[in-house]
Amino acid sequence: RKEVEQDPGPFNVPEGATVAFNCTYSNSASQSFFWYRQDCRKEPKLLMSVYSSGNEDGRFTAQLNRASQYISLLIRDSKLSDSATYLCAVRNQGGKLIFGQGTELSVKP
Amino acid sequence: EAGVAQSPRYKIIEKRQSVAFWCNPISGHATLYWYQQILGQGPKLLIQFQNNGVVDDSQLPKDRFSAERLKGVDSTLKIQPAKLEDSAVYLCASSLRLAGQETQYFGPGTRLLVL
């Protein structure tokens, strides 16, 4: 079993749709959690950290469920510019950042 | 603020040849990482430096990969000899820990194709 697993993609959604990504992790001692965005042929960029209480940044909401060992990212009112690959990342107790394989999102007009 | 710089951006070599990548982290960032990202996968950590010391190189294929950060700033990653399966994007990242929070910033990567 992979340490971090994401929903297989791609997700193809119309503009304005709400889309949710899930990510599960196997190490219950994981310390912190993140969502990164990676545009085609570009480097990953931090989208948001994920806190136990859940957090929101505009149209983006991230949630953490430690009991079930998963994190989620919700994007409301999808824009064309949201098209990218979304990577979840988990920092283990040794400080290493482990990435999922990424979920590709394509928002269509 | 200047970001993480990497060069070259692209490299094409034949198998069994050698190749080296260079990374200049964000000024003041003590921690530097090299990742390998194969197409369709997430980045995989190869090696982590804290200043000029190695913190974690458990996933570095040491028979062919080597990395150094001699003066605790720039770093080079070398592959010798390259194999077809080394074709990937090699990402360098650096980070700074502030108030218990650490954020990694990635460079643009070096895209390697081994023929």
Side-chain angles (χ1 to χ4, degrees), chain B:
Chain B
E1 180 184 286
V4 177
Q6 289 188 247
S7 68
R9 294 294 308 276
Y10 304 92
K11 191 74 179 178
I12 301 174
I13 60 173
E14 294 187 349
K15 60 183 178 182
R16 291 188 288 273
Q17 285 188 321
S18 302
V19 64
F21 313 129
W22 173 82
C23 173
N24 181 238
I26 294 173
S27 178
H29 282 197
T31 311
L32 184 148
Y33 313 80
W34 283 101
Y35 288 87
Q36 179 192 60
Q37 186 173 23
I38 293 171
L39 187 65
Q41 299 181 21
K44 182 184 85 171
L45 180 69
L46 293 175
I47 188 166
Q48 177 183 342
F49 291 95
Q50 182 72 20
N51 296 307
N52 61 348
V54 174
V55 173
D56 185 343
D57 63 357
S58 57
Q59 296 199 84
L60 187 74
K62 298 179 188 62
D63 57 334
R64 298 184 301 105
F65 286 64
S66 63
E68 58 183 16
R69 194 185 184 199
L70 292 176
K71 295 183 179 179
V73 181
D74 293 6
S75 177
T76 55
L77 175 70
K78 296 179 182 177
I79 308 176
Q80 180 180 10
K83 292 186 175 182
L84 297 177
E85 59 260 36
D86 298 332
S87 294
V89 178
Y90 290 85
L91 294 160
C92 179
S94 69
S95 69
L96 181 68
R97 180 175 285 273
L98 281 175
Q101 295 288 330
E102 180 186 347
T103 300
Q104 290 190 25
Y105 297 89
F106 285 85
T110 297
R111 193 171 297 271
L112 174 67
L113 179 60
V114 182
L115 301 175

Side-chain angles (χ1 to χ4, degrees), chain A residues 4 9-10 19 21 26 31-32 40-41 51 58-59 61 67 78-79 81 94-96 100 106:
Chain A
V4 180
V19 61
F21 304 130
S26 60
Q31 302 283 302
S32 45
C40 189
R41 294 183 171 271
Y51 303 116
R59 298 181 293 108
T61 300
S78 300
K79 311 289 184 192
S81 56
K96 183 187 294 187
S106 180

Side-chain angles (χ1 to χ4, degrees), chain A residues 30-99:
Chain A
S30 297
Q31 302 283 302
S32 45
F33 310 88
F34 308 90
W35 283 101
Y36 278 78
R37 171 192 169 128
Q38 186 171 28
D39 291 291
C40 189
R41 294 183 171 271
K42 299 285 189 179
E43 70 273 22
K45 292 187 178 178
L46 182 65
L47 181 64
M48 52 200 306
S49 301
V50 188
Y51 303 116
S52 297
S53 54
N55 46 303
E56 189 173 307
D57 183 2
R59 298 181 293 108
F60 297 82
T61 300
Q63 292 197 311
L64 166 64
N65 185 319
R66 281 193 183 270
S68 300
Q69 294 181 206
Y70 79 81
I71 64 174
S72 63
L73 177 68
L74 185 77
I75 305 176
R76 290 181 300 278
D77 189 24
S78 300
K79 311 289 184 192
L80 296 177
S81 56
D82 293 333
S83 297
T85 295
Y86 291 82
L87 296 158
C88 74
V90 173
R91 179 168 284 128
N92 64 19
Q93 65 270 46
K96 183 187 294 187
L97 202 57
I98 312 293
F99 285 86

